[in-house]
Amino acid sequence: MPLTLLAMAFQLQTASIGGPGAARPSATAEADSARDARRARDAQAGFERTRRSNLPWEGGAGDRCQVRLGRFCWWYDEYAPTLPPEKETITERRAQLLAALDSLGRLHPGDDWLAGMRVHYRIDARQPALADSAARECRATRWWCDALLGYVSHVRGDAALADSAFGAALSAMSDSTRCSWTDIHTLLPNDARERYEEQSCAERLPLERRYWLLARPRLAAPANEWRSEFFTRRVQSWLAERSRTPHNMSWGSDAEELLLRYGWPVVWGRVQPSFSSTAAAEPSIIGHDPSPSFSFAPREELLDSLVEANDDGWDLRSRYGESRYAPRNVRRIAPVSVQLARFRRGDAILLAAAYAASDDSLARVTTRLAAMIDDTLTIVGEPDSIRRGTSTLLLSRPPRLAGVEVADTTTGTLARSRVLYRPDSGAARLSLSDLLLYRAAGTEPATELDSALLRAIPGDTVGRDRPVGIFWETYGLSDAGETVDVAVTVQRIDRSWFRSARQALHLADEDTPLRVRWTDARASAAGIAPHAVSLDLTNLPGGRYRLTLALTSPGIGPVVSSRVVELREP
């Protein structure tokens, strides 16, 4: 579980009450508003003092400190601590605070701070339904009310409404406010962060869109939950900057970065600071973030728009990620073996998948094939209830990101696999589909996609004990027939540095690629020409190989399609 440890304590300044842009009130009304502002902030500060003095005592953090951010130290613990329930004193004082905020909120319905606090402390009290009612009653600044609705909807698990509400909030913001809220520099690794911070808001948009496309936790969810979580943290940061927090520290850039990267704590505790020799020293406050959480951000190299990747582009279990997020109903992340292949169908793309989730803990599953066309359009296939099978999805345009997700809400398991594609130019006269590997049955090759898909291999692992079939389609051949040269190459790509050095010194045999060439003459039907070939790989040692298909025609070529496979013993 992520934890935040208070290193120092400071006094937090209060903010003025009243929404921006309001007409100047009379002197009496101004005095009343100032008095109500003091009452509201005194009540809020008093509650946090009560909370701090009644938090359970903990054993401390020891020497753990994975990330140092200014005054704060953060580390990750996978399991939540065992703490006693919240004391009744805290519960009663929170209820009194909410009553005071509601009363003042009726007097000042246009006040952003009051509107936000009425929502925030109901969420703090684990009352999301009441928080939703408070958000819908908001009469403050329009974009702020939309953001509060997004905050509540995200907490309640309504991903579509949260995304819509935050979208409305961003649209209604001024340019400068929107630029501040969409700023993701705290989520980026060092080199990407430096480049990002040098750019204007308009220049940042392509990287922001790519980050959110790649960092989406569940393609099959109605919206990007991590993006809504980030804007939820923006709401929490806005409120914390203008209020007292359980930490009792002045809000600063370190506190904001800590929140934006790791989230708002859901449980608090206190420890006596070991560095202080003063008996009356203020206890340190530990905030326990939601747990377990995961690092959904892509590796830095994937932020380049021309890069392709498979599951190795994400390190979901990293303990040192730039950010973490705990999706609703996800307790663990598991792998699923998937083979994806794209086929043209006129102006559309047929995405085909063969998958197998071998995790024994999976019980009642929901399996979906999904694809993101861009950062705003996601297509999700019909759900299935099997752990092993095939699926297809017809897309209007080539996908940028695609994958299979197997979700089990009983155990809180999400098994996912992804492929990131390079943008498709689609300009050549001749083109190839992806290669689809299948289990070759005897000597009869697959004659069409459906028959190949029935025997498709889930994942990228093939055995050496039997031939492997390769199915593909060629597009652009003449309907009357056209002769093309076809070459298939199987080349090892996982040579270690030591093996490469031994080969360079002629102390080990070179890895000789397997090459097969032939001439093919066939006509296409509706612009599609299916092909298949079986390869005997039994003489190759185990390892990672790249299968490359190259097609050439007079005046054209080569047109290439490839796939990386793991060749293993049976």
Side-chain angles (χ1 to χ4, degrees):
M1 164 179 294
L3 304 174
T4 56
L5 175 62
L6 175 63
M8 303 174 67
F10 293 89
Q11 199 73 4
L12 181 65
Q13 297 178 348
T14 60
S16 61
I17 199 166
R24 183 173 181 83
S26 66
T28 301
E30 195 171 57
D32 290 342
S33 179
R35 180 198 63 210
D36 290 342
R38 287 193 298 272
R39 287 176 55 198
R41 279 155 178 79
D42 286 347
Q44 192 267 336
F47 166 73
E48 292 299 349
R49 282 195 300 270
T50 298
R51 190 210 296 262
R52 283 193 300 275
S53 63
N54 286 275
L55 288 174
W57 292 98
E58 299 191 44
D63 297 328
R64 291 178 293 179
C65 189
Q66 294 177 2
V67 178
R68 171 70 68 178
L69 286 173
R71 299 162 291 173
F72 295 91
C73 184
W74 179 92
W75 68 93
Y76 180 71
D77 276 344
E78 187 172 358
Y79 301 103
T82 302
L83 296 176
E86 182 179 80
K87 287 187 178 181
E88 188 175 344
T89 302
I90 299 177
T91 304
E92 292 175 351
R93 286 299 302 272
R94 185 190 292 109
Q96 295 170 7
L97 170 62
L98 283 169
L101 293 173
D102 289 345
S103 176
L104 293 170
R106 287 189 289 271
L107 294 174
H108 305 280
D111 185 83
D112 291 344
W113 186 87
L114 281 172
M117 283 298 170
R118 293 182 64 221
V119 170
H120 176 72
Y121 276 107
R122 284 178 167 85
I123 291 176
D124 186 63
R126 310 291 195 270
Q127 298 173 339
L130 295 179
D132 182 76
S133 297
R136 294 176 186 277
E137 293 170 1
C138 178
R139 298 296 179 268
T141 304
R142 183 65 265 165
W143 72 260
W144 178 243
C145 292
D146 288 332
L148 291 177
L149 181 59
Y151 176 18
V152 175
S153 301
H154 178 67
V155 170
R156 298 189 70 186
D158 191 337
L161 182 55
D163 182 71
S164 176
F166 281 125
L170 293 171
S171 297
M173 291 176 183
S174 66
D175 290 344
S176 59
T177 301
R178 186 185 310 109
C179 180
S180 175
W181 273 58
T182 56
D183 186 337
I184 61 170
H185 80 273
T186 57
L187 309 181
L188 300 174
N190 290 335
D191 291 343
R193 179 188 288 206
E194 291 179 4
R195 295 192 300 270
Y196 179 85
E197 289 180 312
E198 293 172 354
Q199 297 176 328
S200 67
C201 278
E203 292 170 332
R204 294 174 176 178
L205 283 175
L207 191 146
E208 290 170 359
R209 288 171 177 164
R210 186 165 180 84
Y211 177 88
W212 292 122
L213 180 145
L214 298 177
R216 183 165 175 163
R218 295 183 276 205
L219 297 183
N224 190 334
E225 302 154 291
W226 170 218
R227 186 171 182 264
S228 291
E229 168 70 14
F230 178 73
F231 290 131
T232 289
R233 295 176 186 182
R234 284 287 186 198
V235 173
Q236 293 163 333
S237 176
W238 189 99
L239 292 169
E241 183 180 5
R242 295 158 175 81
S243 313
R244 299 289 182 92
T245 69
H247 282 311
N248 196 34
M249 297 179 69
S250 59
W251 194 253
S253 59
D254 55 352
E256 180 180 54
E257 180 166 351
L258 188 74
L259 169 56
L260 294 179
R261 289 173 62 178
Y262 304 118
W264 186 262
V266 293
V267 180
W268 304 87
R270 54 179 172 164
V271 296
Q272 197 66 39
S274 58
F275 58 80
S276 175
S277 60
T278 305
E282 180 83 7
S284 295
I285 304 301
I286 296 181
H288 299 269
D289 302 341
S291 174
S293 62
F294 309 93
S295 177
F296 290 103
R299 297 186 187 276
E300 185 170 11
E301 56 268 26
L302 266 63
L303 296 176
D304 181 343
S305 62
L306 298 180
V307 171
E308 294 180 315
N310 293 314
D311 284 324
D312 57 0
W314 291 263
D315 187 4
L316 302 178
R317 296 174 182 82
S318 171
R319 299 178 68 88
Y320 302 96
E322 296 298 323
S323 60
R324 299 190 77 87
Y325 167 50
R328 189 181 182 90
N329 297 326
V330 175
R331 303 289 303 170
R332 57 189 295 268
I333 301 286
V336 53
S337 298
V338 174
Q339 183 184 184
L340 291 172
R342 297 162 296 172
F343 300 90
R344 285 173 48 181
R345 292 296 179 264
D347 293 331
I349 297 293
L350 182 68
L351 180 67
Y355 59 88
S358 58
D359 194 306
D360 292 336
S361 69
L362 293 169
R364 301 177 62 182
V365 302
T366 301
T367 303
R368 288 185 174 91
L369 171 63
M372 293 188 70
I373 306 300
D374 53 38
D375 62 315
T376 62
L377 179 58
T378 302
I379 308 299
V380 181
E382 292 296 323
D384 209 333
S385 59
I386 56 177
R387 296 192 299 174
R388 183 185 186 97
T390 61
S391 183
T392 59
L393 193 61
L394 191 63
L395 308 172
S396 61
R397 301 198 304 274
R400 299 299 308 280
L401 185 69
V404 171
E405 294 174 355
V406 183
D408 177 13
T409 56
T410 303
T411 61
T413 299
L414 172 65
R416 58 171 244 182
S417 182
R418 302 214 165 159
V419 175
L420 171 66
Y421 296 110
R422 187 181 286 125
D424 183 12
S425 61
R429 180 178 74 83
L430 288 183
S431 61
L432 295 171
S433 70
D434 291 328
L435 306 181
L436 180 67
L437 307 183
Y438 67 93
R439 299 177 184 87
T443 59
E444 186 67 26
T447 58
E448 57 184 15
L449 175 58
D450 287 346
S451 61
L453 193 57
L454 285 174
R455 293 181 273 161
I457 298 171
D460 60 0
T461 301
V462 298
R464 297 176 57 248
D465 59 331
R466 66 184 65 183
V468 59
I470 305 177
F471 176 87
W472 74 94
E473 293 178 346
T474 303
Y475 312 106
L477 292 175
S478 169
D479 291 342
E482 184 173 347
T483 300
V484 294
D485 294 324
V486 183
V488 175
T489 303
V490 184
Q491 186 168 21
R492 188 164 186 171
I493 60 174
D494 65 345
R495 293 182 302 172
S496 66
W497 176 88
F498 180 73
R499 180 175 176 82
S500 296
R502 285 177 55 82
Q503 290 175 343
L505 295 172
H506 304 288
L507 299 177
D509 294 335
E510 292 285 341
D511 294 317
T512 303
L514 170 67
R515 293 187 174 92
V516 181
R517 298 177 182 273
W518 70 94
T519 299
D520 191 288
R522 71 181 61 195
S524 66
I528 301 174
H531 306 256
V533 64
S534 295
L535 297 180
D536 185 350
L537 306 179
T538 56
N539 292 327
L540 296 179
R544 289 186 68 78
Y545 291 81
R546 177 175 286 107
L547 277 64
T548 303
L549 172 74
L551 183 150
T552 56
S553 181
I556 300 176
V559 182
V560 175
S561 184
S562 66
R563 183 177 293 278
V564 174
V565 300
E566 181 81 19
L567 191 60
R568 291 186 181 177
E569 299 293 337

